[in-house]
């Protein structure tokens, strides 16, 4: 055959291969998630748009409910009935649990992940790996131990950001005396537990927090320091409004940003909803670490897993494109700017990010990293769910003492860890 024909045939072949590996088939790609609040919706749209460019038609499988408890239950039912979606927002130790059921696609077998160690931090790699193999695709990092301060209210009274719990109570009492709600708070158990988590980090210290909530070490769980953490937690109850039971974090974030409350404890996904409403870091709100936790970064890494399906070429191509899109710096930057997080990838240009994300990135590099147990980073969701419920019941009970709550926690944890 003529050399030129061979050359042009191989060029056609190469272009064909290129198109095949970078363009997906427009079959719907169903993705389970719980991003249903305004900021989350905007960030989900970033995902939809980035996939669309690559010819992936995002099919929305959204389950309302911050924190994802409802979503995980629906996913379990779908998986049991043999019809899981193509991908789902699964995080932390739950990735291992799903992998044990042999339902997940191994990301290493799908795409070349060898370069990932060059740009993913170790804590992120460990979070999405099972036995040193990638089983999830990490997209971003949220910081959970934030205290948000309403700029207008703090400026009006010339208040300084509290860095200790003592200062926090002084500021909260002052604000309450002025007839303003000191603390905004939603009405679901995980939001109560999120506040407790920051208090536990501060009272127990990062090492003992990890011992208690990652390793379920009873010597820390059943300790005087844990009782102290529960007592401190309860002292904050009087500053919260009586949130309607079941009220999601978005509504609590609204009363804070609309100047009806001075402070708010929440992970930085909340910033996404304020950005969506045109609010700006520093001008409208400030971010400081929760009192007593300035040396700690409590992390929450969003990631997706892929479910094994019929395994056709089209499906595999779509899965590859999905993974390669999610791990790309372009997507991770656009997504995190909308979500309030920082990209999971390191060494990306954060110059266009707001001051809180920049601080988050700095602190992620320089502070002690602990997994957020309320955000599925420390234990699997079935263990975490019961602990969260107990913490919330204690917070809202008028009769349960801190000592009793700690005893119940001790018994619960023993039962959860006994085989
Ligand atoms: C977390 C999730 C975040 C976030 C939050 C509130 O579990 O990781 O992405 O949006 O729930 O829904």
């Amino acid at each position: 055959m003529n050399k030129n024909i061979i050359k042009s045939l191989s060029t056609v072949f190469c272009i064909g291969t290129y198109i095949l590996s970078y363009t997906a088939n427009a079959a719907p790609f169903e993705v389970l998630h719980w991003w249903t609040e305004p900021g989350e919706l905007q960030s989900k749209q970033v995902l939809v748009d980035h996939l669309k460019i690559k010819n992936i038609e995002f099919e929305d499988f959204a389950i309302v409910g911050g924190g994802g408890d409802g979503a995980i239950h629906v996913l379990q039912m779908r998986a049991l009935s043999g019809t899981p979606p193509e991908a789902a927002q699964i995080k932390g130790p739950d990735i291992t649990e799903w992998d044990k059921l042999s339902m997940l696609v191994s990301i290493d077998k799908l795409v070349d992940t060898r370069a990932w160690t060059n740009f993913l931090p170790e804590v992120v790699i460990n979070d999405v790996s099972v036995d040193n193999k990638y089983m999830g695709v990490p997209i971003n990092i949220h910081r959970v131990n934030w205290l948000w301060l309403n700029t207008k209210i703090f400026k009006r009274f010339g208040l300084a950001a509290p860095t200790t719990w003592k200062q926090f109570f002084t500021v909260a009492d002052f604000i309450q005396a002025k007839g303003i709600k000191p603390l905004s708070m939603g009405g679901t158990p995980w939001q109560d537990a999120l506040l407790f988590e920051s208090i536990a980090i501060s009272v127990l210290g990062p090492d003992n927090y990890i011992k208690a909530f990652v390793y379920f070490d009873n010597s820390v769980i059943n300790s005087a320091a844990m009782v102290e953490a529960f007592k401190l937690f309860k002292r904050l109850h009087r500053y919260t409004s009586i949130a309607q039971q079941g009220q999601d974090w978005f509504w609590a974030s609204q009363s804070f940003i609309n100047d009806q409350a001075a402070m708010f404890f929440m992970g930085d996904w909340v910033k996404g909803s304020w950005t969506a409403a045109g609010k700006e870091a520093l001008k409208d709100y400030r971010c400081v670490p929760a009192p007593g936790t300035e040396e700690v970064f409590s992390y929450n890494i969003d990631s997706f897993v892929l479910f094994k399906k019929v395994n056709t070429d089209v499906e595999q191509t779509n899965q590859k494109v999905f993974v390669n899109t999610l791990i790309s710096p372009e997507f991770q930057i656009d997504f995190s700017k909308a979500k309030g997080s920082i990209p999971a990838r390191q060494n990306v240009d954060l110059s266009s990010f707001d001051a809180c994300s920049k601080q988050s990135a700095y602190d992620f590099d320089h502070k002690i990293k602990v997994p957020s147990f309320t955000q599925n980073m420390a234990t699997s969701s079935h263990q975490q769910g019961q602990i969260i419920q107990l913490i919330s019941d204690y917070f809202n009970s008028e009769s349960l003492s801190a000592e009793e709550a700690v005893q119940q926690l001790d018994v619960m944890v023993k039962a959860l860890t006994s085989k």
Side-chain angles (χ1 to χ4, degrees):
M1 207 187 295
N2 175 316
K3 266 192 188 153
N4 283 338
I5 297 180
I6 295 176
K7 210 171 152 194
S8 35
L9 274 179
S10 59
T11 313
V12 169
F13 177 75
C14 287
I15 294 173
T17 315
Y18 176 84
I19 291 172
L20 262 183
S21 53
Y22 287 93
T23 323
N25 186 294
F29 197 86
E30 194 183 25
V31 181
L32 173 129
H33 62 93
W34 56 90
W35 294 329
T36 50
E37 305 294 358
E40 294 178 325
L41 282 172
Q42 283 209 356
S43 32
K44 184 204 73 187
Q45 194 55 40
V46 170
L47 174 61
V48 174
D49 293 346
H50 273 259
L51 290 172
K52 197 166 189 177
I53 297 170
K54 303 279 172 58
N55 210 22
I56 293 236
E57 195 195 311
F58 182 97
E59 192 180 334
D60 212 358
F61 182 6
I63 305 294
V64 179
D69 298 351
I72 300 299
H73 287 122
V74 176
L75 178 65
Q76 284 163 348
M77 295 315 290
R78 280 280 302 266
L80 276 177
S81 66
T83 56
E86 267 74 20
Q89 185 191 353
I90 297 288
K91 309 181 291 173
D94 278 353
I95 298 178
T96 307
E97 301 276 308
W98 281 98
D99 182 50
K100 277 190 208 152
L101 301 171
S102 304
M103 284 188 172
L104 303 186
V105 172
S106 161
I107 308 293
D108 298 299
K109 288 193 185 144
L110 194 65
V111 301
D112 185 357
T113 54
R114 279 171 299 177
W116 288 20
T117 38
N118 300 337
F119 54 74
L120 290 179
E122 206 184 333
V123 71
V124 173
I125 294 177
N126 292 339
D127 179 70
V128 293
S129 301
V130 182
D131 297 334
N132 297 319
K133 292 188 178 62
Y134 290 106
M135 297 306 297
V137 194
I139 58 174
N140 68 344
I141 303 166
H142 280 297
R143 188 181 195 178
V144 182
N145 61 318
W146 282 122
L147 170 61
W148 305 96
L149 308 176
N150 178 297
T151 307
K152 203 191 253 176
I153 300 174
F154 268 70
K155 265 199 180 151
R156 185 156 129 217
F157 299 114
L159 295 168
T163 57
T164 62
W165 288 108
K166 192 163 178 263
Q167 288 172 5
F168 174 88
F169 288 118
T170 309
V171 168
D173 285 337
F174 177 89
I175 290 170
Q176 201 158 42
K178 296 285 173 197
I180 297 168
K181 199 193 327 169
L183 202 56
S184 195
M185 192 91 182
T188 58
W190 73 265
Q191 295 178 77
D192 295 340
L194 183 140
L195 168 57
F196 175 77
E197 176 175 302
S198 284
I199 293 174
I201 293 170
S202 112
V203 175
L204 304 174
D207 288 349
N208 279 338
Y209 163 85
I210 289 177
K211 278 187 187 163
F213 294 103
V214 178
Y215 298 111
F216 291 148
D217 180 334
N218 287 89
S219 71
V220 183
I221 287 186
N222 199 354
S223 67
M226 189 65 88
V227 173
E228 195 193 318
F230 270 82
K231 282 187 175 158
L232 179 55
F233 174 46
K234 194 58 175 266
R235 281 180 66 194
L236 273 81
H237 193 269
R238 64 191 147 113
Y239 302 117
T240 64
S241 54
I242 315 288
Q244 258 177 5
Q245 226 193 347
Q247 198 174 60
D248 219 340
W249 59 271
F250 173 69
W251 299 104
S253 82
Q254 285 304 99
S255 75
F256 166 88
I257 207 67
N258 293 331
D259 309 324
Q260 287 146 8
M263 297 181 277
F264 187 38
F265 290 92
M266 187 51 61
D268 46 23
W269 48 86
V270 71
K271 205 153 54 74
S273 71
W274 297 332
T275 307
K279 303 288 182 181
E280 288 173 31
L282 306 186
K283 183 171 154 277
D284 299 298
Y285 58 87
R286 284 168 60 201
C287 45
V288 292
T293 71
E294 43 289 321
E295 291 312 314
V296 182
F297 187 111
S298 154
Y299 63 84
N300 172 26
I301 300 160
D302 279 318
S303 56
F304 282 90
V305 298
L306 295 168
F307 281 93
K308 286 181 190 160
K309 305 278 280 184
V310 281
N311 212 16
T312 60
D313 285 350
V314 167
E315 184 193 299
Q316 274 211 357
T317 308
N318 282 352
Q319 289 173 337
K320 282 181 196 170
V321 174
F322 183 79
V323 172
N324 284 331
T325 305
L326 265 60
I327 203 71
S328 71
E330 299 77 23
F331 164 73
Q332 295 210 351
I333 290 174
D334 290 352
F335 181 83
S336 265
K337 277 169 81 173
K339 191 74 170 32
S341 49
I342 53 172
R345 292 180 69 119
Q346 302 298 279
N347 306 323
V348 288
D349 180 11
L350 298 183
S351 53
S352 58
F353 279 62
D354 64 45
C356 293
S357 285
K358 284 180 183 153
Q359 190 188 333
S360 182
Y362 178 87
D363 286 349
F364 182 79
D365 284 345
H366 294 89
K367 308 287 171 166
I368 303 162
K369 293 179 255 303
V370 302
S372 162
F373 86 84
T374 61
Q375 301 306 310
N376 309 76
M377 292 288 113
T379 58
S380 61
S381 31
H382 73 275
Q383 293 172 318
Q384 162 205 300
Q386 296 185 46
I387 299 174
I388 285 178
Q389 190 61 53
L390 169 64
I391 292 169
S392 175
D393 288 348
Y394 164 76
F395 192 56
N396 297 299
S397 152
E398 283 176 8
S399 54
L400 197 62
S401 72
E403 288 79 5
E404 285 164 341
V406 167
Q407 261 175 25
Q408 286 187 15
L409 182 64
D410 189 39
V411 172
M412 178 180 281
V413 163
K414 280 181 183 142
L416 283 174
T417 46
S418 71
K419 295 260 180 278

